[in-house]
């Protein structure tokens, strides 16, 4: 993906077309601690007794961004859009299917060779350096803390594994860590279930701090907590960041939390970045229709827009078969004919219309944009052809149809083919993947 590949559909405005550079070194920015470049993570779908691979869940599908040293980057989006998967790739817990995560050495402390080598290709000392420096805190402290281990062993385990300390020295280091997160010596010999949710999250944070990392991936760290406890944990994270110069990748679906915590935001939709930019600019003036819908659906985010307008409607499509063009076009209020309308949309839009597909016997696809829908009788065929120009489908979808013809019992439909909508650079350090201009 380089400069000129962004789509330039006729009839739609053409935004600036510079993509984020592939090469993580071209940022030329000393402040960048970590670069994520074109990261994809696909999970195979297996079916049947033979467990044959029948498809791929494209959980993360080509994501790029930079994380600045000492700052917090918020990663937001609806459930299922790939946030946790991306967080796990960034923390080195999951190997990307393609693309890379690069930890930049500008401190001079890291082993040689770390510079711009993708984490999944790091070995030996450099790999250990990465693992120490990039920790993760999970949403669910019940499953992330071993219920049969004492707090001393949970928090002390990274120190033991990395041979940093043992015996009484380890115990004293654990006490220091517990004190940093508002707990103390009296908690050393207790089990996770003896704590409240907020305290368990403090234990998780203490464990993440054990090896004195440069960055922490926080995956919905407060989503399971009561509001009052949430605020305490957020304050703790904030204080630790200031004291230790920590860098956070903060994953959440809570826009009020992210606005409070993050200086930059990446909005994900179905495995891709819809929009990214500085927090205040993004909240004040969202570019992508998905960002706008997200803000509207979150009434507690002050000044987020017109409260009378609807938020997000409909479900997130199946990540194993993401929509063509812009992945959000199926739910977008301002979709244009250039947004990727395809045969699947015809079926999805009209399948709830009584009787529409009762007589359908098959769909012969030439591509995702071009197919014959074959019925048992010609009345049904004509009915579908008429519906494609009616009120049951969006005007922009009708306008995207290049040809539609009925031959006996078959309806031939061909949409105009559009490429995937790529992220383009807008003004003020912002990026958005939309065919419409700002
Ligand atoms: P989020 O954190 O934004 O809710 P996830 O990263 O958990 O999203 O999931 C993204 C998509 O990937 C979902 O459709 C989810 O079902 C799928 N997924 C996540 N982990 C796996 C896995 N280990 N195997 C198969 N599919 C997965
Ligand atoms: Mg998640």
């Amino acid at each position: 993906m380089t400069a000129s590949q962004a789509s330039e559909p006729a009839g739609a405005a053409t935004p600036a077309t510079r993509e984020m550079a592939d090469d993580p070194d071209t940022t030329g920015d000393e402040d960048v601690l970590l670069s994520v470049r074109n990261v994809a993570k696909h999970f195979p779908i297996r079916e049947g007794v033979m467990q044959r691979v029948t498809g791929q869940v494209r959980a993360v599908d080509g994501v790029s961004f930079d994380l600045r040293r000492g700052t917090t980057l918020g990663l937001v989006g609806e459930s299922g859009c790939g946030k946790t998967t991306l967080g796990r790739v960034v923390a080195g817990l999951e190997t990307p299917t393609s693309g890379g995560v690069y930890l930049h050495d500008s401190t001079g402390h890291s082993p040689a060779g770390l510079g711009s080598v993708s984490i999944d290709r790091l070995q030996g000392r450099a790999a250990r350096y990465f693992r120490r420096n990039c920790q993760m805190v999970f949403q669910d402290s019940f499953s992330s803390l071993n219920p049969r281990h004492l707090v001393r062993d949970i928090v002390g385990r990274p120190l033991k594994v990395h041979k940093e300390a043992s015996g009484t020295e380890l115990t004293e280091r654990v006490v220091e860590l517990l004190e940093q997160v508002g707990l103390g010596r009296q908690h050393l010999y207790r089990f996770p279930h003896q704590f409240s949710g907020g305290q368990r999250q403090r234990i998780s944070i203490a464990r993440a701090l054990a090896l004195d990392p440069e960055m922490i991936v926080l995956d919905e760290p407060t989503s399971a907590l009561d509001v009052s406890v949430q605020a305490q944990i957020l304050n703790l994270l904030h204080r630790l960041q200031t004291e230790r110069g920590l860098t956070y990748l903060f994953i959440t679906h809570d826009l009020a939390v992210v606005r409070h915590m993050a200086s930059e935001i990446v909005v994900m939709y179905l495995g891709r970045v819809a929009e990214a930019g500085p927090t205040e600019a993004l909240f004040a003036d969202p570019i992508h229709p998905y960002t706008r819908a997200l803000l509207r659906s979150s009434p507690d985010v002050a000044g987020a827009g017109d409260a009378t307008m609807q938020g997000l409607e409909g479900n997130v499509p199946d990540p194993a078969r993401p929509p063509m063009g812009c992945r959000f076009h199926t739910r977008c209020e301002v979709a244009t004919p250039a947004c990727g309308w395809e045969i699947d949309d015809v079926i999805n839009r009209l399948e709830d219309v009584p009787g529409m597909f009762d007589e359908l016997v098959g769909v012969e696809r030439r591509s995702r944009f071009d197919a014959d829908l074959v019925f048992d009788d010609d009345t049904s065929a004509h009915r579908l052809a008429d519906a494609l120009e009616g009120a049951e489908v969006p005007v922009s979808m009708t306008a995207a149809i290049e040809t539609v013809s009925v031959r006996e019992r078959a309806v031939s439909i061909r949409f105009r083919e559009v490429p995937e909508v790529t992220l383009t650079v807008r003004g003020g350090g912002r990026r958005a993947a939309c065919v419409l201009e700002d």
Side-chain angles (χ1 to χ4, degrees):
M1 257 193 300
T2 45
S4 56
Q5 261 186 20
S7 57
E8 294 179 25
T14 306
T17 53
R18 196 170 68 78
E19 250 290 3
M20 198 157 206
D22 277 359
D23 180 352
D25 278 349
T26 58
T27 56
D29 193 337
E30 291 258 307
D31 291 346
V32 174
L33 172 67
L34 181 120
S35 298
V36 171
R37 285 295 178 275
N38 299 319
V39 163
K41 179 69 188 179
H42 297 176
F43 297 106
I45 302 167
R46 294 173 195 279
E47 274 168 34
V49 274
M50 304 301 288
Q51 288 291 286
R52 249 193 282 274
V53 177
T54 56
Q56 302 281 334
V57 176
R58 290 152 76 168
V60 178
D61 211 18
V63 168
S64 301
F65 59 81
D66 287 329
L67 193 48
R68 260 162 240 289
R69 211 173 283 279
T71 68
T72 299
L73 184 136
L75 187 61
V76 302
E78 287 162 286
S79 177
C81 69
K83 302 182 298 297
T84 294
T85 305
L86 181 59
R88 290 177 59 85
V89 170
V90 168
L93 302 173
E94 204 96 62
T95 312
T97 307
S98 59
V101 178
Y102 305 83
L103 193 65
H104 301 292
D105 171 29
S106 59
T107 58
H109 297 312
S110 67
L114 184 66
S116 60
V117 182
S118 175
I119 49 162
D120 54 299
R121 267 170 272 145
L122 290 177
Q123 287 175 342
R125 245 160 64 80
R128 279 196 298 281
Y129 176 86
F130 184 88
R131 259 179 258 126
R132 298 184 60 119
N133 274 291
C134 193
Q135 298 291 321
M136 187 156 178
V137 170
F138 303 89
Q139 169 179 1
D140 183 1
S141 57
F142 260 116
S143 58
S144 62
L145 301 178
N146 189 324
R148 286 180 295 277
H149 287 182
L150 294 165
V151 167
R152 175 195 178 271
D153 301 321
I154 290 170
V155 176
R157 191 179 144 81
L159 295 168
K160 204 168 164 182
V161 169
H162 286 259
K163 299 191 170 63
E164 290 267 312
S166 59
T168 42
E169 194 201 338
L170 186 132
T171 307
E172 290 315 307
R173 293 273 293 271
V174 171
V175 170
E176 275 172 37
L177 288 162
L178 290 175
E179 284 169 354
Q180 292 218 12
V181 299
L183 298 171
R185 190 178 294 278
Q186 70 275 26
H187 299 113
L188 276 175
Y189 299 101
R190 292 192 201 164
F191 293 100
H193 74 263
Q194 295 173 287
F195 294 89
S196 69
Q199 286 175 317
R200 273 202 307 278
Q201 213 49 312
R202 288 175 193 268
I203 296 167
S204 299
I205 294 166
R207 176 177 60 182
L209 292 174
L211 295 168
D212 199 16
E214 286 203 68
M215 71 166 285
I216 305 180
V217 176
L218 302 155
D219 188 3
E220 311 253 11
T222 61
S223 300
L225 306 174
D226 292 342
V227 177
S228 60
V229 182
Q230 244 186 49
Q232 292 165 13
I233 299 294
L234 294 176
N235 287 341
L236 170 66
L237 290 169
H238 208 267
R239 178 168 63 71
L240 291 169
Q241 178 167 49
T242 313
E243 287 172 7
R244 294 169 161 254
L246 283 164
T247 305
Y248 293 149
L249 176 61
F250 196 104
I251 298 172
T252 181
H253 62 268
D254 187 330
L255 292 166
V257 166
V258 87
R259 186 174 200 177
H260 175 68
M261 293 296 288
S263 53
E264 289 198 51
I265 293 196
V266 170
V267 180
M268 273 183 85
Y269 186 73
L270 266 183
R272 295 187 63 91
V273 176
E275 175 166 2
T279 305
E280 277 320 310
L282 189 135
F283 274 85
D285 177 25
I287 297 171
H288 201 289
Y290 178 60
T291 314
R292 292 186 195 159
L294 264 187
L295 294 183
R296 281 203 306 270
S297 66
S298 176
D300 51 342
V301 181
D306 187 345
T308 61
M309 288 185 74
Q310 290 288 307
L312 273 162
E313 279 178 25
N315 296 322
V316 181
D318 181 2
R321 193 177 169 84
M324 302 298 278
C326 170
R327 291 182 179 190
F328 186 57
H329 80 259
T330 59
R331 301 165 75 196
C332 184
E333 287 178 352
V334 293
T336 76
C339 294
W341 297 101
E342 54 175 311
I343 301 298
D344 282 5
D345 296 324
V346 172
I347 296 165
N348 292 336
R349 285 280 168 165
L350 296 174
E351 69 184 350
D352 293 333
V353 178
M356 184 62 75
F357 293 126
D358 287 358
E359 308 298 327
L360 185 71
V361 290
V363 181
E364 289 161 17
R365 293 174 191 271
R366 284 173 290 275
S367 76
R368 299 246 331 231
F369 295 101
D370 186 5
D372 289 342
L373 279 72
V374 185
F375 290 87
D376 235 354
D377 59 59
D378 54 356
T379 320
S380 297
H382 282 286
R383 187 172 172 211
L384 172 62
D386 291 345
L388 290 174
E389 308 209 316
E392 279 137 339
V393 300
V395 177
S396 57
M397 179 169 141
T398 306
I401 297 175
E402 269 179 355
T403 61
V404 53
S405 60
V406 182
R407 262 180 302 105
E408 294 173 21
R409 295 175 290 109
V411 189
S412 242
I413 307 168
R414 195 173 78 227
F415 284 96
R416 80 199 243 190
E417 265 184 57
V418 302
E420 185 138 27
V421 178
T422 53
L423 211 51
T424 53
V425 175
R426 314 289 175 110
R430 307 180 64 180
R431 296 181 294 148
C434 181
V435 301
L436 298 172
E437 209 152 359
D438 306 8

